[in-house]
Amino acid sequence: CLGSIISDVEDVEAEKQMLINQGVKPLAVIPKSRELSMRTAREVLQVLDDGVCLYGTEHLDMSIDKMWIHTNQVNDLLPLIEDKQLAIMSHKRTDIVMSLLLAAQSTNAPDISGILFTNFKPGDMNPKIASILDGISDMRIPIIATSADTFEAAKKIEKTPAFVMPESHSKINKAIALMDDNLDFTLLDQFQSDEVVEDKRDIGDRK
């Protein structure tokens, strides 16, 4: 056995010491990553059977830390907006939609991660609202939609753990960086025998 690779660790040094005390070589002890544990709008689309991105495709990899179902009045909206929030609502609540889009454009408001329209079917969008959205040249968040009702969609998203897709470039890069930072290349080199030296793959700079 070359050694153990342990991931999602709260206290890296304590975990390493525990492994050493048990006679196990810690080849890599990977710390818990909040970024990897969060969903993205792209993953939400994958979870929803008929999910579609209406606007802001380039922002689908924004991390989502929490969800909030917005059924309130606009006057009560602002205190409920938080960073990395996925705002879930009916597409018919044009007052909330416009307020959230305005907040998304402002540097003085929390940075939400997207809007999810529920009970949505093609052609449902108010043409005047669609025209306004089409005219936003700097859409800073993704707007996605599903035909599922609000609570059904929220429940389905909530019960599905975060995962990584081939298009999840930010998460993939983060995972690679974590491995580069925490893999014990020196220990790995000790197990590279002379017989297979010509077969070695390039595993990067030794640290």
Side-chain angles (χ1 to χ4, degrees):
C1 176
L2 294 180
S4 295
I5 296 178
I6 311 295
S7 63
D8 209 28
V9 174
E10 293 281 1
D11 189 330
V12 171
E13 293 306 317
E15 186 73 20
K16 283 183 180 180
Q17 191 58 53
M18 183 186 73
L19 291 171
I20 292 171
N21 292 342
Q22 294 175 350
V24 178
K25 297 182 178 69
L27 183 58
V29 178
I30 313 297
K32 182 184 289 291
S33 169
R34 184 62 183 149
E35 180 180 342
L36 293 180
S37 67
M38 288 191 286
R39 303 174 183 86
T40 66
R42 189 183 302 278
E43 292 163 25
V44 170
L45 281 179
Q46 191 76 6
V47 169
L48 300 171
D49 295 330
D50 60 352
V52 60
C53 183
L54 303 176
Y55 299 94
T57 305
E58 66 274 21
H59 300 302
L60 283 174
D61 289 319
M62 295 179 72
S63 297
I64 298 169
D65 190 31
K66 54 186 72 71
M67 299 183 295
W68 192 272
I69 298 173
H70 288 282
T71 59
N72 46 290
Q73 298 301 312
V74 172
N75 288 342
D76 302 320
L77 176 68
L78 292 179
L80 301 176
I81 302 175
E82 298 182 79
D83 288 338
K84 298 186 181 301
Q85 179 188 99
L86 176 65
I88 304 176
M89 73 196 71
S90 168
H91 65 91
K92 297 178 181 178
R93 289 301 305 271
T94 55
D95 54 340
I96 295 180
V97 174
M98 293 295 100
S99 297
L100 287 174
L101 287 176
L102 181 61
Q105 299 298 113
S106 173
T107 58
N108 294 326
D111 294 322
I112 66 172
S113 294
I115 294 173
L116 170 61
F117 290 153
T118 55
N119 298 295
F120 182 88
K121 295 179 177 60
D124 275 355
M125 182 74 76
N126 182 314
K128 292 184 179 180
I129 299 299
S131 177
I132 291 174
L133 295 177
D134 290 338
I136 298 177
S137 59
D138 183 26
M139 182 70 73
R140 297 184 181 180
I141 57 172
I143 299 179
I144 58 180
T146 178
S147 64
D149 68 52
T150 300
F151 291 99
E152 177 189 350
K155 184 177 180 180
K156 193 167 188 177
I157 296 168
E158 186 62 35
K159 74 176 184 179
T160 305
F163 55 93
V164 177
M165 301 168 58
E167 300 86 0
S168 303
H169 303 300
S170 178
K171 283 191 173 183
I172 291 172
N173 290 337
K174 179 64 176 180
I176 291 173
L178 284 171
M179 182 61 77
D180 284 344
D181 290 341
N182 295 279
L183 181 63
D184 188 341
F185 287 98
T186 303
L187 180 60
L188 190 63
D189 281 343
Q190 293 176 8
F191 293 90
Q192 297 291 316
S193 67
D194 294 336
E195 289 81 5
V196 297
V197 68
E198 294 182 359
D199 237 3
K200 283 185 183 179
R201 291 182 297 168
D202 182 5
I203 58 175
D205 296 334
R206 290 358 181 210
K207 295 184 180 180

